[in-house]
Amino acid sequence: MFTGKNIVLGVTGGIAAYKACEVVSRLKKLGAEVDVIMTENATKLVAPLTFETLSCRPVCVDTFSRTESWDVKHISLAQKADLFVVAPATANLMAKLAHGIADDMLSTTLLATKAPILLAPAMNTGMWTATATQENLRTLQNRGVHTVGPASGFLACGDTGAGRMSEPVQIVEEIQRLLTLKADMDGLKVLVTAGPTVERIDPVRYLTNDSSGKMGFAIAQAAIDRGAEVTVLCGNVHISPPSQAKIVRVQSTQDLYDAMMKHCDEQDVIIQAAAPADYRVKEIAPEKIKKQDGAAMVLELVENPDVAKAVGQRKHSGQTLVGFAAETENLLENAERKLTKKNLDLIVANDVSQEGAGFGVDTNIVSLLTKNGLEQLPLMKKQEVAHRILDKVIQLRADN
Ligand code: PMT
């Protein structure tokens, strides 16, 4: 099943390191080549010889050790990997990867790799739920790092809760899923819009909305994983964009419009998940507006360009256009109207009033509406929603 696949397995110093032996054993039985990199702390829990025996290859621990070959080991392993797995992944390893710290063989190789990364976190519940760990997790996931687990249960430290490393069989299933990800967007140029726009009022104030960019970045990452060349037109977001995408930063809806007009003609697929402001102030005040002794402040707003509509008017044959509809009422009626008005092939109807859907959260609840049908999806992670949208795009392109 994994014949010809090179998997690099990082093992960090958590008690679950002993379970990583079974991961190696299962991968070998399925035909994979496995190279193991251990941290110094991991070697205190499991002897490198165990992994050497199971993987039939030398285990790397020390960045500066002399090896039988002349290649720079951390670079050659980083390049060789079809998939880089870290099991167990401690809070420390996740923090290092999130912040680009490379101070041992494992963190150095991880930072250098372009291969997909899968982490199987394992730690005490308090460490797992700590704000720092959760923020690092979000940063990594937003960059496209995959995770499996952790599960909940009895932990080696005596606590009960989330933090148990997933079982080796589940980790291997996830490895299989990642290694068989479709490459059905190979050679396609995909443009994704993400995040909110910012409409200045004066030098210190602006109008905006709650879009975080998570939905757009999830789509961009999914398209990259499926082989597309991805450009992201990115509003004012505070999370890291996918590292393999071309990022074009925009502030206002007018900026988004200008960037879109520059890039849209060369794209095969355009997916507009951004939340551009529909209005801007007519005149941006050159100085900070002063309070008026209790009098109301009146801002005159004028309509912004409708970027999706403009793209729809320029649509050329072979191009697939996808929009979103963020609604709080009459979801499907409004979405259908936007599908037609903006000349879209697919609209992702998003009832943003539902819990777990829409702005800021990691999940979404959407319906995929085309001229020929409707598919209603349950609550899913934005990463899964992204793949379902791309599945539909591929289907639409095949039908045309
Ligand atoms: O970023 P997240 O926090 O992950 O949140 C995700 C999301 C809620 C922003 C996303 O799922 C979503 O619904 N995006 C669309 C938001 C929106 O602007 O919806 P709309 O119904 O107002 O616009 C319809 C479509 O026209 C959208 O594709 C929008 O990008 C586009 N549009 C809107 C206004 C405008 N002036 N120009 C546009 O092109």
Side-chain angles (χ1 to χ4, degrees):
M1 184 188 285
F2 292 156
T3 309
K5 295 292 181 193
N6 293 301
I7 296 170
V8 176
L9 175 70
V11 182
T12 64
I15 187 64
Y18 78 93
K19 288 203 214 168
C21 300
E22 191 184 333
V23 174
V24 178
S25 160
R26 284 177 178 272
L27 291 174
K28 286 296 288 177
K29 280 187 196 139
L30 292 168
E33 283 290 321
V34 186
D35 283 278
V36 177
I37 306 176
M38 300 178 77
T39 62
E40 284 286 348
N41 285 339
T43 64
K44 293 178 186 144
L45 294 155
V46 180
L49 185 59
T50 311
F51 285 109
E52 288 189 351
T53 311
L54 290 168
S55 68
C56 310
R57 299 190 55 76
V59 164
C60 303
V61 180
D62 179 0
T63 321
F64 299 104
S65 73
R66 303 282 304 277
T67 58
E68 75 285 3
S69 59
W70 286 107
D71 49 6
V72 182
K73 206 69 189 164
H74 67 279
I75 301 300
S76 68
L77 285 180
Q79 289 172 347
K80 178 184 178 189
D82 293 304
L83 182 68
F84 205 127
V85 183
V86 185
T90 54
N92 184 44
L93 181 281
M94 290 171 64
K96 283 194 207 174
L97 184 57
H99 296 280
I101 295 169
D103 62 356
D104 62 6
M105 182 68 181
L106 177 56
S107 51
T108 308
T109 315
L110 258 180
L111 193 62
T113 195
K114 293 265 182 286
I117 297 172
L118 172 66
L119 304 181
M123 63 199 78
N124 160 272
T125 304
M127 293 172 80
W128 173 248
T129 52
T131 309
T133 306
Q134 289 300 309
E135 280 180 3
N136 290 334
L137 174 71
R138 270 193 292 280
T139 300
L140 292 169
Q141 287 179 333
N142 286 329
R143 280 185 208 152
V145 171
H146 306 275
T147 53
V148 51
S152 285
F154 181 74
L155 304 173
C157 56
D159 281 359
T160 301
R164 267 174 79 90
M165 188 173 89
S166 291
E167 292 307 315
V169 66
Q170 288 163 330
I171 295 172
V172 173
E173 275 170 12
E174 188 58 18
I175 290 171
Q176 186 188 343
R177 191 187 72 77
L178 292 173
L179 285 177
T180 52
L181 265 187
K182 304 170 203 126
D184 53 5
M185 301 197 92
D186 241 342
L188 288 184
K189 287 190 163 195
V190 176
L191 183 146
V192 181
T193 70
T197 62
V198 159
E199 305 296 338
R200 294 237 67 99
I201 298 171
D202 68 16
V204 298
R205 303 182 180 94
Y206 55 77
L207 300 172
T208 190
N209 60 65
D210 289 326
S211 172
S212 61
K214 287 179 183 173
M215 189 67 250
F217 285 178
I219 296 168
Q221 185 61 53
I224 291 166
D225 290 343
R226 292 166 80 146
E229 186 187 322
V230 176
T231 302
V232 182
L233 306 187
C234 172
N236 188 33
V237 301
H238 304 287
I239 57 173
S240 311
S243 55
Q244 288 144 285
K246 174 179 171 183
I247 306 296
V248 179
R249 300 269 176 188
V250 299
Q251 286 285 311
S252 65
T253 299
Q254 184 63 50
D255 293 344
L256 178 66
Y257 176 89
D258 294 342
M260 181 65 92
M261 292 305 114
K262 194 167 157 203
H263 293 278
C264 67
D265 290 341
E266 71 210 36
Q267 305 300 326
D268 300 299
V269 179
I270 298 178
I271 305 178
Q272 303 183 67
D278 287 319
Y279 294 93
R280 66 177 185 277
V281 293
K282 191 173 178 192
E283 301 277 348
I284 300 174
E287 306 299 341
K288 182 181 172 191
I289 300 170
K290 296 280 175 265
K291 288 206 282 183
Q292 310 275 318
D293 292 330
M297 186 214 249
V298 178
L299 293 174
E300 189 178 352
L301 301 180
V302 293
E303 210 172 291
N304 266 328
D306 186 324
V307 184
K309 191 173 164 200
V311 176
Q313 284 163 352
R314 284 168 75 120
K315 180 180 173 189
H316 60 70
S317 72
Q319 212 170 34
T320 309
L321 302 184
V322 182
F324 273 69
E327 306 294 341
T328 55
E329 55 177 351
N330 304 328
L331 176 69
L332 295 178
E333 294 90 311
N334 286 330
E336 198 169 0
R337 197 172 37 78
K338 288 177 184 172
L339 178 75
T340 310
K341 185 176 149 204
K342 299 181 191 232
N343 194 22
L344 300 165
D345 299 288
L346 166 65
I347 192 146
V348 183
N350 199 176
D351 180 349
V352 293
S353 63
Q354 289 195 63
E355 202 176 322
F359 296 95
V361 288
D362 293 331
T363 51
N364 212 347
I365 307 168
V366 303
S367 298
L368 307 183
L369 183 66
T370 64
K371 286 169 198 120
N372 300 323
L374 171 71
E375 188 183 350
Q376 288 178 304
L377 302 179
L379 178 89
M380 289 177 175
K381 281 186 178 171
K382 284 183 173 164
Q383 283 81 0
E384 290 172 63
V385 173
H387 276 290
R388 297 296 284 267
I389 294 168
L390 297 184
D391 287 344
K392 187 62 91 184
V393 166
I394 292 299
Q395 188 192 322
L396 286 169
R397 292 178 67 80
D399 293 347
N400 272 337

